[in-house]
Amino acid sequence: MNDRRVLFFGDSFVAGAGDPRGCGWVGRVAAACAPLTPYNLGIRGETSVQVCGRWQTEAWPRLRAEATCAFVFSVGANDACGEQPGDPPRLTIEQSTTALAETLDAARMMELPAFVVGPPPVGEPAWDERVRELTGAFETLCASRGIPYVAVAEPLLASRTWLEEAAAGDGAHPGAGGYDELTELVLDGGLRDWLAAL
């Protein structure tokens, strides 16, 4: 039996908040890349520092020596936000990149492959500018470590479906159509091939 386990760590976008189908992009990826055992470990509202502070504790019970195991990280959206519109971001670029760097280095020490999905837009112009900055910083970080990375912010900011669904919802999270688009960006951005090679 092919036991492929992929642990998806992140925030509300990983958890699939706003998706009427209840599966978000992680569930869609799992369906498209079966057989696969996905563990959705997204927690709404968490920053990269919070996600990266808990991931190892949550990972260990789900790992097995006889299984093929890997990690997908998608953080940064909450780093870019303040508590209210007009507030400054919760984390600096340096804090965000340091948290992700430490996480990727720890995953490498465990000799398990990792993939990083960049943060989606969050619906406020000033915060989305920080999302753009984080996208570039994370891409540079991943390139320096040979970690596959897919940026999603710019194409989603250009997507009428994503923007309209987010505006009709809570302002940040899309509905089913937006998650469909995010899924295709992630799969076509390298995750499909990366999963197939596990």
Side-chain angles (χ1 to χ4, degrees):
M1 180 178 176
N2 185 7
D3 186 358
R4 291 193 305 163
R5 303 181 180 200
V6 180
L7 284 61
F8 295 83
F9 288 95
D11 49 31
S12 55
F13 291 103
V14 170
D19 181 15
R21 298 181 194 166
C23 57
W25 67 266
V26 171
R28 288 166 170 79
V29 163
C33 299
L36 181 70
T37 301
Y39 293 95
N40 190 322
L41 299 164
I43 295 181
R44 188 165 188 163
E46 285 204 336
T47 66
S48 58
V49 169
Q50 291 171 309
V51 174
C52 296
R54 66 175 166 87
W55 76 274
Q56 284 185 312
T57 299
E58 297 184 1
W60 284 116
R62 297 168 172 88
L63 303 176
R64 292 290 182 275
E66 65 274 14
T68 299
C69 302
F71 303 117
V72 175
F73 298 99
S74 183
V75 295
N78 290 302
D79 302 16
C81 298
E83 295 300 327
Q84 299 292 332
D87 288 351
R90 292 168 65 186
L91 297 180
T92 66
I93 296 290
E94 182 179 6
Q95 288 172 318
S96 299
T97 54
T98 297
L100 183 58
E102 291 175 351
T103 293
L104 296 177
D105 291 346
R108 176 164 288 170
M109 292 275 295
M110 296 167 68
E111 299 183 346
L112 292 174
F115 190 103
V116 178
V117 177
V122 294
E124 287 287 334
W127 295 345
D128 284 339
E129 185 56 38
R130 175 54 65 90
V131 167
R132 288 186 173 99
E133 294 174 7
L134 280 172
T135 293
F138 286 170
E139 187 168 19
T140 299
L141 171 66
C142 290
S144 72
R145 285 164 167 73
I147 302 293
Y149 177 84
V150 57
V152 300
E154 288 296 344
L156 293 177
L157 282 167
S159 164
R160 176 177 293 180
T161 298
W162 179 278
L163 297 176
E164 289 182 351
E165 288 187 352
D170 62 8
H173 301 94
Y179 278 109
D180 286 342
E181 291 191 359
L182 177 53
T183 301
E184 288 307 308
L185 288 171
V186 171
L187 288 172
D188 294 344
L191 186 61
R192 189 194 310 271
D193 293 340
W194 181 78
L195 288 171
L198 289 178

